[in-house]
Amino acid sequence: MMLSAAPNPVAHLVARSSLEVMLDTLRQRDEQPKDLPPALPARPTSRGRLPSSRRSLPIGLKLDMSSSPKMFLVESTKKEESIGEQSPKKGKEVVFRSGIFGNKRICKVDEGEESPYAKKMETEKCEERVEEENSEEPPAVPSPLEVPIEGKLGSADTIDSVLKKKLRVWCRLPDAKWELGKIQSFSGDEALISLSDGKVLTVCLDNLLPANPNILDGVDDLIQLSYLNEPSVLHNLQFRYSRDLVYTRAGPVLVAINPFKEVALYGKDFITAYRKNLMDSPHVYAVADTAFNEMMKDGVNQSIIISGESGAGKTETAKIAMQYLAALGGGSGIEYEVLQTSLVLESFGNAKTSRNDNSSRFGKLTEIHFCATGKICGAKIRTFLLEKSRVVQRASGERSYHVFYQLCAGAPLFLKEKLNLKAASKYEYLKQSDCLTIDAVDDAKRFHMLMEALEIVQISKEDQMKAFSMLAAILWLGNITFSVIDNESHVEVVSSEGLANAAKLLGCEVPDLMVALSTRNIRAGNDNIVQKLTLTQAIDGRDALAKSIYSNLFDWLVEQINKSLEVGKNHTGNSICILDIYGFESFHKNGFEQFCINYANERLQQHFNRHLFKLEQEEYTGDGIDWTNVDFVDNNDCLNLFEKKPLGLLSLLDEESTFPKATDLTFAKKLKQHLSGNPCFKGESNGAFRVSHYAGEVIYNTSGFLEKNRDPLHLDSIQLLFSCSSELPKLFASRILDQSQKKSGSSRQRTADLQKQSVGTNFKAQLFKLMQRLEDTTPYFIRCIKPNSKQHPGMYEYDLVLQQLRCCGVLEVVRISRAGYPTRMTHQQFAERYGFLLLENVASQDPLSISIATLQQFNVPPEMYQVGYTKLFFRTGQVAALEDARNRAFQGIIWAQKSFRRLQAHRYYLGLKIGATTLQSFVRGEKARLKFYLLLKRWRAAILIQKHVRRWIMKTKFDDQQKDVILLQSVIRGYLARKQYTVVQNCEVSKLNHVQLTTVADKNPERIKVLHEKSKEHPQVDPSILAELQRRVLRAEAALREKEEENSILKQQLQQYEQRWSGYEAKMQSMEEMWQKQLTSLQLSLAVAKKSLASDNLPTQQHGKTDDASPINHYYESEDTMSVDFRTPESTPMKEPNSSERGVMRTPDDGAHSAVSYLVKEFEHRKQVFEDDAGFLVAVKSGQVGLDISPDEELRKLKARFAAWKKEYKGRLRETKAALHKLNSHEEKTRKRWWGKRSTK
């Protein structure tokens, strides 16, 4: 650990604070002329001096990083470097940050020539500031922060307060565990402690640490703890973890503890709550939301760096962050593809290890690009250092990549038949580690999910089949065996099912594959020598081919995904990067893979330190504020061990890899020889070496280092891939050769084992590019913690968690966040943002004066901020009050603007309303008048129709009544006539009888007696009956008289109707006469037209053809069917046109035109007349017009008139056509005569 120079404790008693110096400077400036620029505040004489307000803070916030208390100056003064000053950066304005900040180390670290920040540092260099007047440093006195709180409780005041109040304390037991207890009493350096289980112990005060009150148990931010020490932090994390609160803030860092189970902290409801700021508890959603808002506000790229040990939950945390960003920027549909890429890459790049069932065996940087509206417009994935060796070998109890087992378990029947797939236990590459399944994981189900994900990311069925064919080919390559054929262990390939299937899937011939795996072509001059391989060489060559195919397949798959997620045209350059990379690993046996993985974690830790320690404190010092440096664990020595040239681990590894006869033991000896003096390196026996990483010491076994670093693939294997008929092997071979030619510049024939850059150098270059990419972003750190090594939910191992907290520097981050100034702004930014809040006019003042005046107006305590050369630095929460005032002012301004704009809009609306109302009134008036005119016409027509209908109804009713009366009269008259006839007949009969009787009596008296007797036999008529009959006759006569009166009345009405009908007939007759006159005029016009046409033949008439001059008689028929008396004569001669008419029609052309126009007008007129008559008949027939006429008869008459007119009109058309033809022929004859006359002349 490194320390800064200790400040003089007496200096703060004499020297003034930076604010006082700033105010004196302002007073002096006011006394100077206005045109002079303001002077900068004086540089503090002691940069380590704290402001006076800090003296009241708890002393000794430094944590002890070891199990026993020790002073910070021990073993650190030897490593102390000179403190250099770094001037503020030019050309790059510091952006106001509120999300990620912290404390950086004050010392100036030598990044080395291989540092990924070298270029950035060169661009940021500027001239040194003016040297201090007093160059001599004050005497070194221990800083108050150098007194460890872990060693003792603190000063006498702290001891008295803790002991007198009998507060809770943490007690270190003999087994190095911490227990919570309460002080009962104390004596000297010992105290009597009562533990939570009732035991009472006597403990030395050096083994006691103050505990926080119960109210602070489970706070969501470690900064809120009153006492910041290791047991308090562990207890707070365990308290929250037991309640499934897995996220805790540690200043700017989010600590995420893996629950190893499903917790109710995710889903749409939580996403909505964090989007709407309804929740403020620590969460991955909150980190992603802050990154998104900062990107949209400042237009600066953001990055979320997720780190931690293997099994800490980094992959799941990255997926949770991507889900939230997809919900924020969703809408285009591409967010679903981005989410599904995690599933695809997990299948191809994750595997089960001894510590994690889903360990990422590659590094992944996902760049999610956003358009100007905040919607996702594309993404890009970058991968780093895929662990290829896992394809062919792994430790016992581990698995290869998930996709192999998923393919064997879940492939459909047709795919298994095509690829000749078998169970995973049948393949040597999969069964060698005795682990084929994972508990509670269904590989078949995962394969179906993989297929769906490939469809979503738009990987075609053809490309999927190609990828699965390569996977099956790799599995069958592992089943290829060799047999020794001589005493020198030379081998040949055994013909087997694996050989045939591998050749078939690769698309090559079986003999070619056998030759490539068992022999090697060596070019000696112009000759090619075929060398047989030994068993070890053949197996290594087969495995190298399998690893190369899988590595290239993985890179090809990533390229296909990137093509699907390609950034669209709406990309504005803003993006959020999510880094998910393998965590720090330390196994029982660590090889080349762990060497590279831990080196990457060292570089990421250095990036973490750079942003949260170094740059922060360098910025404080460079801006000249009072600041006491905070120590942190610096891993720069370890990075130099890896990267330094020419005596670094990677340089020595590359150097040894170039020697053909070098072995892993020679490499280990070289490391001991050159690096034994490095404090982070220690050589071990049996070819091993020890490296002190930031997370602890790791012992590496050099076995396989050189081979894996070379990663050889012989030219014969490359040529074999070129000869394959399948597309992917050819593509892989072409890429390998392109890489080798770019790096070495050699031709294809000269390419051998070292056909490309070494794995270590290539990984180092990729890592540097990653760091440069992250350096251009605003980082957000998430530290994932693994609570236990057994991956059981609810289990919390204090030692394991504490070791991870120490390694990732979380405790230092909390300390420096509490003591530092997390919010900073330049004078110009502060003045622009808050200057308008001043009550007085400050337009003529400089930004610094405006800033100071603003702070004084809002009564910000001087100890809560510091004024630097270029910036203002604020403690946590101080800017919130200014932001609230700014927001209130903006709300007032917005309200005033809203009211004024509303007034303007209202006036504009009223003007539009008045204009629209006026226009609508005119339009509606015109429409109403038109509607009224139409209604009036319809009303008049309706009155007319009703009149005729009522007339017809009344006439019909009258006719029916008349018929009834006549029928009744006929019956009554018949009855009376018959009755009279009977009476007359009876009288005549009686007279006849009397005559007969008289005659008979005269002749035969006896006969008279007989007749009298007969007459007595007939009964006489009853008088009452006769009286009744007479009464009936009287009643009938009275009724008859009434009917006659009614009949007379009806006759009078009938006469009135007949008079009206005669009037209608007269009107119809007058209309008919008008029609006849019009037809006559039309016929006369046609006759005139014909005569004018016939006038063309006058020359011929003058030559003796007088018969042509006879007048033509035109006749027309009468079309009057409504009048019976009036008839036009059958034929009427057409009158000769008078002299005036002849004067008008002088030319034949005019006459023809006049005749045709008359025909057209007549046609239109007759058409309108027939349409009106037909419409009237339809109205009569439908009952709309009440007239006593027969619609059918009138329709028949209308048809007859139309047929007659049609026949007559056709005749006139033919005549007009003949006349026109004759006129044309006459004109032709005239032209011919004229031409003949001209020719004769």
Side-chain angles (χ1 to χ4, degrees):
M1 294 183 294
M2 304 298 295
L3 284 176
S4 61
N8 187 351
V10 187
H12 68 273
L13 298 176
V14 180
R16 296 176 300 173
S17 66
S18 61
L19 179 58
E20 294 174 347
V21 176
M22 184 67 65
L23 294 176
D24 290 343
T25 305
L26 293 176
R27 295 191 190 99
Q28 296 175 4
R29 187 206 60 188
D30 294 338
E31 297 175 358
Q32 296 175 356
K34 299 296 183 181
D35 54 349
L36 292 180
L40 291 175
R43 182 185 299 277
T45 58
S46 175
R47 283 174 288 177
R49 178 178 57 81
L50 294 174
S52 59
S53 60
R54 283 192 174 180
R55 280 174 266 162
S56 62
L57 298 176
I59 300 175
L61 294 176
K62 176 61 185 174
L63 295 177
D64 186 8
M65 306 309 294
S66 61
S67 59
S68 60
K70 55 179 68 176
M71 298 298 293
F72 288 148
L73 291 177
V74 179
E75 297 181 359
S76 63
T77 55
K78 298 180 182 179
K79 302 178 184 178
E80 184 174 0
E81 300 177 1
S82 60
I83 300 175
E85 297 180 2
Q86 182 178 0
S87 59
K89 303 174 184 179
K90 292 184 178 180
K92 182 177 180 181
E93 188 177 16
V94 180
V95 180
F96 170 55
R97 298 181 296 169
S98 60
I100 287 300
F101 49 83
N103 303 330
K104 275 62 178 184
R105 194 168 182 177
I106 190 172
C107 59
K108 188 174 181 179
V109 181
D110 183 14
E111 300 291 351
E113 60 180 1
E114 291 297 321
S115 172
Y117 314 113
K119 295 181 179 180
K120 187 175 184 63
M121 293 176 63
E122 290 177 2
T123 59
E124 295 177 354
K125 286 182 179 180
C126 59
E127 298 179 357
E128 295 291 337
R129 295 184 179 270
V130 180
E131 297 183 356
E132 300 179 4
E133 296 179 0
N134 300 326
S135 59
E136 296 181 359
E137 294 290 338
V141 178
S143 172
L145 287 177
E146 294 172 359
V147 180
I149 193 172
E150 293 85 348
K152 296 183 180 181
L153 282 176
S155 62
D157 295 337
T158 307
I159 294 175
D160 292 340
S161 63
V162 172
L163 295 179
K164 289 179 181 179
K165 296 179 181 179
K166 296 183 179 181
L167 300 178
R168 298 193 308 172
V169 294
W170 290 102
C171 176
R172 187 194 297 272
L173 301 181
D175 57 357
K177 292 184 178 180
W178 292 94
E179 288 289 341
L180 188 63
K182 191 173 183 180
I183 298 176
Q184 298 294 330
S185 63
F186 68 96
S187 176
D189 293 338
E190 294 182 350
L192 191 64
I193 306 300
S194 175
L195 302 181
S196 58
D197 56 359
K199 294 181 180 181
V200 179
L201 299 177
T202 301
V203 182
C204 179
L205 294 181
D206 293 338
N207 293 329
L208 296 180
L209 291 176
N212 294 287
N214 295 331
I215 195 173
L216 294 180
D217 287 345
V219 295
D220 58 4
D221 196 340
L222 298 179
I223 295 179
Q224 301 175 9
L225 296 176
S226 298
Y227 301 103
L228 184 64
N229 48 53
E230 290 180 353
S232 296
V233 172
L234 291 174
H235 173 71
N236 191 77
L237 294 177
Q238 192 273 337
F239 185 89
R240 294 178 60 82
Y241 180 71
S242 62
R243 290 160 177 76
D244 290 339
L245 302 175
V246 297
Y247 298 111
T248 306
R249 293 191 188 95
V253 179
L254 179 68
V255 177
I257 303 179
N258 193 347
F260 293 114
K261 65 178 182 180
E262 296 290 337
V263 292
L265 294 177
Y266 313 102
K268 295 182 179 179
D269 295 338
F270 283 89
I271 291 176
T272 303
Y274 279 96
R275 289 179 63 180
K276 297 181 179 180
N277 295 326
L278 301 179
M279 296 183 67
D280 192 29
S281 57
H283 201 288
V284 178
Y285 291 164
V287 176
D289 186 75
T290 303
F292 179 81
N293 292 333
E294 291 296 320
M295 178 195 68
M296 297 302 297
K297 182 179 71 173
D298 299 330
V300 178
N301 296 336
Q302 311 289 312
S303 62
I304 301 175
I305 302 175
I306 305 170
S307 59
E309 289 191 2
S310 178
K314 299 184 301 298
T315 301
E316 292 300 321
T317 302
K319 290 194 292 186
I320 293 170
M322 292 173 62
Q323 289 173 0
Y324 186 81
L325 293 177
L328 286 180
S332 60
I334 196 172
E335 64 272 10
Y336 301 108
E337 299 182 34
V338 175
L339 294 178
Q340 292 301 317
T341 57
S342 299
L343 180 60
V344 175
L345 295 181
E346 277 186 24
S347 296
F348 282 84
N350 288 25
K352 180 185 182 301
T353 63
S354 59
R355 294 187 175 183
N356 188 5
D357 291 342
N358 189 32
S359 177
S360 298
R361 310 315 300 165
F362 71 104
K364 179 179 67 173
L365 180 68
T366 305
E367 298 181 11
I368 303 177
H369 297 270
F370 296 84
C371 62
T373 58
K375 299 299 181 181
I376 297 177
C377 60
K380 185 177 182 181
I381 298 175
R382 301 183 185 183
T383 59
F384 309 94
L385 191 65
L386 177 70
E387 187 183 2
K388 297 186 291 185
S389 61
R390 182 167 291 272
V391 177
V392 298
Q393 62 182 3
R394 68 205 65 88
S396 178
E398 297 185 352
R399 294 207 318 176
S400 182
Y401 293 104
H402 296 322
V403 68
F404 291 112
Y405 306 92
Q406 295 171 0
L407 179 63
C408 295
L413 182 61
F414 79 93
L415 186 59
K416 288 184 177 180
E417 293 177 354
K418 185 173 183 178
L419 303 180
N420 297 324
L421 283 176
K422 295 184 178 181
S425 59
K426 300 298 183 180
Y427 296 104
E428 294 294 331
Y429 278 164
L430 302 182
K431 68 180 183 180
Q432 59 176 288
S433 59
D434 297 329
C435 182
L436 298 177
T437 59
I438 303 176
D439 296 339
V441 175
D442 187 356
D443 289 324
K445 183 179 179 180
R446 293 292 179 90
F447 182 77
H448 293 300
M449 295 171 61
L450 173 62
M451 296 288 288
E452 294 176 358
L454 290 174
E455 290 290 338
I456 293 176
V457 297
Q458 301 180 14
I459 304 297
S460 63
K461 292 289 186 181
E462 182 181 357
D463 290 340
Q464 294 180 29
M465 187 59 64
K466 293 177 183 178
F468 294 146
S469 299
M470 292 299 101
L471 294 175
I474 293 172
L475 294 178
W476 286 115
L477 279 175
N479 285 6
I480 296 178
T481 57
F482 304 91
S483 62
V484 181
I485 59 175
D486 54 22
N487 296 330
E488 296 180 357
S489 297
H490 293 157
V491 297
E492 66 180 7
V493 180
V494 178
S495 180
S496 61
E497 182 184 12
L499 178 66
N501 289 332
K504 177 183 177 182
L505 293 172
L506 290 175
C508 64
E509 300 295 334
V510 174
D512 295 340
L513 181 59
M514 295 176 64
V515 171
L517 294 179
S518 60
T519 62
R520 179 174 296 176
N521 290 326
I522 300 177
R523 188 172 184 84
N526 295 328
D527 298 331
N528 285 331
I529 300 175
V530 179
Q531 179 185 359
K532 294 184 178 180
L533 301 179
T534 63
L535 180 60
T536 303
Q537 292 174 340
I539 293 175
D540 291 341
R542 178 199 64 185
D543 293 345
L545 179 61
K547 291 188 294 183
S548 178
I549 292 175
Y550 190 81
S551 175
N552 284 278
L553 174 64
F554 186 81
D555 294 339
W556 172 82
L557 182 63
V558 173
E559 289 181 3
Q560 299 303 312
I561 293 176
N562 286 335
K563 290 180 181 179
S564 175
L565 303 178
E566 189 174 2
V567 180
K569 297 181 179 179
N570 295 329
H571 174 51
T572 59
N574 296 333
S575 64
I576 297 179
C577 301
I578 300 177
L579 178 63
D580 174 20
I581 200 167
Y582 18 62
F584 186 84
E585 294 184 351
S586 178
F587 302 123
H588 179 70
K589 182 180 179 180
N590 301 287
F592 180 75
E593 290 78 11
Q594 285 70 39
F595 177 80
C596 295
I597 288 173
N598 293 339
Y599 164 56
N601 279 271
E602 285 287 349
R603 178 52 69 181
L604 288 176
Q605 180 64 23
Q606 199 265 354
H607 181 73
F608 177 80
N609 294 340
R610 176 180 173 84
H611 278 272
L612 294 186
F613 295 105
K614 295 179 182 179
L615 296 182
E616 195 78 9
Q617 297 192 124
E618 288 174 2
E619 186 174 359
Y620 292 163
T621 306
D623 226 57
I625 68 171
D626 294 335
W627 174 251
T628 299
N629 299 320
V630 177
D631 296 321
F632 61 92
V633 179
D634 189 6
N635 64 339
N636 193 60
D637 293 338
C638 186
L639 285 175
N640 289 335
L641 174 65
F642 276 88
E643 300 172 352
K644 191 174 181 180
K645 288 185 178 182
L647 298 179
L649 289 175
L650 294 175
S651 300
L652 294 176
L653 178 60
D654 288 344
E655 180 183 347
E656 196 69 10
S657 299
T658 57
F659 299 123
K661 295 183 179 182
T663 62
D664 296 329
L665 292 178
T666 60
F667 170 62
K669 292 179 181 179
K670 180 175 286 189
L671 293 181
K672 286 183 180 181
Q673 179 182 356
H674 293 89
L675 301 177
S676 57
N678 194 302
C680 297
F681 177 85
K682 183 178 179 181
E684 301 289 339
S685 59
N686 299 326
F689 64 93
R690 186 190 303 268
V691 176
S692 297
H693 292 280
Y694 75 95
E697 292 186 348
V698 179
I699 299 177
Y700 297 100
N701 193 332
T702 57
S703 177
F705 260 60
L706 297 181
E707 189 72 14
K708 293 177 180 179
N709 186 53
R710 293 168 182 163
D711 193 21
L713 183 63
H714 199 266
L715 182 61
D716 295 342
S717 300
I718 300 176
Q719 291 178 347
L720 173 67
L721 296 178
F722 259 116
S723 64
C724 295
S725 58
S726 299
E727 180 180 351
L728 286 184
K730 290 183 178 180
L731 179 62
F732 298 160
S734 176
R735 289 183 177 179
I736 294 172
L737 288 180
D738 291 342
Q739 291 177 0
S740 65
Q741 291 177 359
K742 288 180 181 180
K743 301 301 179 183
S744 62
S746 59
S747 61
R748 182 177 299 181
Q749 288 75 15
R750 295 179 59 188
T751 303
D753 289 344
L754 295 176
Q755 82 280 358
K756 59 181 180 179
Q757 215 175 27
S758 67
V759 175
T761 303
N762 188 29
F763 178 67
K764 178 182 175 182
Q766 290 182 345
L767 191 59
F768 276 26
K769 290 181 180 179
L770 172 63
M771 293 298 105
Q772 292 171 359
R773 174 61 179 156
L774 296 179
E775 190 67 19
D776 294 332
T777 63
T778 300
Y780 295 80
F781 295 98
I782 300 178
R783 291 297 195 182
C784 297
I785 303 298
K786 186 177 182 181
N788 61 81
S789 57
K790 297 181 180 180
Q791 303 182 20
H792 290 171
M795 184 180 295
Y796 191 83
E797 297 179 1
Y798 285 88
D799 294 338
L800 180 61
V801 175
L802 179 58
Q803 189 267 342
Q804 295 176 71
L805 292 176
R806 287 174 174 174
C807 292
C808 63
V810 171
L811 301 180
E812 287 85 350
V813 171
V814 176
R815 270 193 304 117
I816 200 168
S817 297
R818 290 176 60 172
Y821 300 89
T823 306
R824 75 289 315 273
M825 302 174 67
T826 63
H827 301 160
Q828 184 69 28
Q829 288 176 338
F830 188 90
E832 290 178 356
R833 190 170 184 85
Y834 305 110
F836 71 95
L837 298 175
L838 289 176
L839 301 178
E840 57 185 7
N841 186 14
V842 293
S844 60
Q845 298 184 15
D846 58 278
L848 182 58
S849 302
I850 297 174
S851 302
I852 297 299
T854 304
L855 293 174
Q856 293 176 351
Q857 176 177 314
F858 284 92
N859 297 324
V860 179
E863 63 272 12
M864 292 293 103
Y865 69 92
Q866 288 205 40
V867 180
Y869 294 121
T870 60
K871 302 175 188 174
L872 295 173
F873 296 84
F874 298 90
R875 293 192 184 275
T876 303
Q878 296 306 309
V879 178
L882 296 175
E883 281 292 322
D884 292 340
R886 180 176 180 270
N887 292 334
R888 289 194 300 271
F890 273 170
Q891 289 177 0
I893 293 172
I894 292 173
W895 181 87
Q897 292 178 348
K898 177 182 67 176
S899 301
F900 179 72
R901 289 171 181 169
R902 173 190 171 279
L903 179 61
Q904 284 186 325
H906 185 66
R907 289 178 178 176
Y908 181 69
Y909 166 74
L910 291 179
L912 289 179
K913 183 178 179 180
I914 294 173
T917 304
T918 304
L919 181 61
Q920 288 176 353
S921 63
F922 283 109
V923 174
R924 289 171 181 170
E926 185 65 24
K927 291 177 66 175
R929 285 188 288 273
L930 179 61
K931 185 177 180 180
F932 175 76
Y933 175 72
L934 295 177
L935 183 62
L936 183 61
K937 288 182 64 177
R938 294 182 62 184
W939 180 77
R940 291 175 179 174
I943 294 297
L944 181 62
I945 293 172
Q946 288 176 358
K947 180 178 64 175
H948 289 284
V949 169
R950 287 170 183 168
R951 172 187 171 280
W952 177 77
I953 292 174
M954 295 303 295
K955 185 176 182 300
T956 304
K957 184 177 180 181
F958 171 76
D959 292 342
D960 294 340
Q961 291 178 355
Q962 187 180 24
K963 290 179 182 179
D964 294 339
V965 170
I966 292 173
L967 178 63
L968 180 60
Q969 289 176 352
S970 64
V971 171
I972 293 174
R973 289 172 180 171
Y975 167 74
L976 295 175
R978 285 190 294 274
K979 181 180 179 181
Q980 184 69 23
Y981 175 74
T982 303
V983 172
V984 172
Q985 189 178 13
N986 291 333
C987 293
E988 290 179 356
V989 170
S990 62
K991 290 179 180 181
L992 182 60
N993 290 335
H994 181 70
V995 172
Q996 290 179 358
L997 288 176
T998 304
T999 306
V1000 171
D1002 294 336
K1003 293 181 179 181
N1004 191 359
E1006 296 178 357
R1007 182 69 176 170
I1008 294 172
K1009 292 179 180 181
V1010 174
L1011 291 175
H1012 279 290
E1013 291 177 358
K1014 289 182 179 181
S1015 61
K1016 290 179 180 180
E1017 292 176 0
H1018 291 284
Q1020 296 295 326
V1021 179
D1022 190 0
S1024 61
I1025 295 174
L1026 292 175
E1028 179 67 23
L1029 290 175
Q1030 290 177 356
R1031 285 194 297 271
R1032 290 182 179 179
V1033 169
L1034 293 175
R1035 286 198 299 271
E1037 290 177 351
L1040 179 61
R1041 285 194 298 271
E1042 292 177 357
K1043 294 296 181 181
E1044 288 178 351
E1045 292 177 356
E1046 292 178 359
N1047 191 14
S1048 62
I1049 294 172
L1050 292 175
K1051 284 183 179 180
Q1052 293 177 0
Q1053 293 178 355
L1054 180 60
Q1055 291 177 357
Q1056 294 177 358
Y1057 291 148
E1058 288 177 351
Q1059 292 176 359
R1060 293 180 182 177
W1061 180 254
S1062 60
Y1064 294 150
E1065 286 183 347
K1067 291 181 180 180
M1068 295 297 294
Q1069 186 175 359
S1070 62
M1071 292 176 64
E1072 182 182 3
E1073 292 176 356
M1074 180 181 67
W1075 293 347
Q1076 292 298 332
K1077 292 178 180 180
Q1078 291 178 355
L1079 290 176
T1080 304
S1081 63
L1082 291 175
Q1083 288 181 352
L1084 291 175
S1085 300
L1086 287 176
V1088 171
K1090 286 184 179 182
K1091 187 173 182 179
S1092 62
L1093 293 175
S1095 62
D1096 294 336
N1097 296 327
L1098 291 177
T1100 55
Q1101 291 178 359
Q1102 293 176 359
H1103 289 82
K1105 296 180 181 180
T1106 57
D1107 53 337
D1108 293 337
S1110 62
I1112 301 175
N1113 295 327
H1114 295 270
Y1115 303 96
Y1116 59 91
E1117 296 177 354
S1118 173
E1119 297 182 4
D1120 181 19
T1121 58
M1122 301 295 293
S1123 177
V1124 179
D1125 300 330
F1126 180 81
R1127 288 288 186 275
T1128 55
E1130 291 294 330
S1131 60
T1132 304
M1134 186 181 66
K1135 295 188 298 183
E1136 291 292 333
N1138 53 22
S1139 59
S1140 61
E1141 292 175 348
R1142 285 194 295 266
V1144 172
M1145 292 182 291
R1146 296 177 181 178
T1147 61
D1149 293 338
D1150 294 338
H1153 177 73
S1154 181
V1156 173
S1157 63
Y1158 284 145
L1159 288 176
V1160 172
K1161 291 181 181 179
E1162 180 187 2
F1163 178 82
E1164 294 296 333
H1165 175 71
R1166 298 295 296 183
K1167 176 183 176 183
Q1168 184 65 34
V1169 171
F1170 285 127
E1171 286 179 354
D1172 294 341
D1173 293 343
F1176 178 78
L1177 291 179
V1178 171
V1180 171
K1181 190 171 185 180
S1182 61
Q1184 297 179 1
V1185 180
L1187 294 180
D1188 188 13
I1189 57 176
S1190 177
D1192 297 333
E1193 182 65 17
E1194 295 296 330
L1195 180 61
R1196 185 185 61 78
K1197 294 179 180 179
L1198 180 63
K1199 289 182 179 179
R1201 291 200 308 273
F1202 178 77
W1205 177 80
K1206 181 179 179 182
K1207 180 178 180 181
E1208 187 264 341
Y1209 192 81
K1210 283 184 178 181
R1212 282 185 284 161
L1213 284 177
R1214 285 193 297 271
E1215 292 174 358
T1216 304
K1217 184 178 180 181
L1220 292 175
H1221 180 71
K1222 186 176 181 181
L1223 176 62
N1224 293 334
S1225 61
H1226 173 70
E1227 289 178 354
E1228 290 177 0
K1229 290 180 180 180
T1230 305
R1231 285 194 298 269
K1232 289 181 180 180
R1233 295 191 192 101
W1234 174 80
W1235 177 254
K1237 293 178 180 180
R1238 294 286 295 180
S1239 60
T1240 54
K1241 292 180 180 180

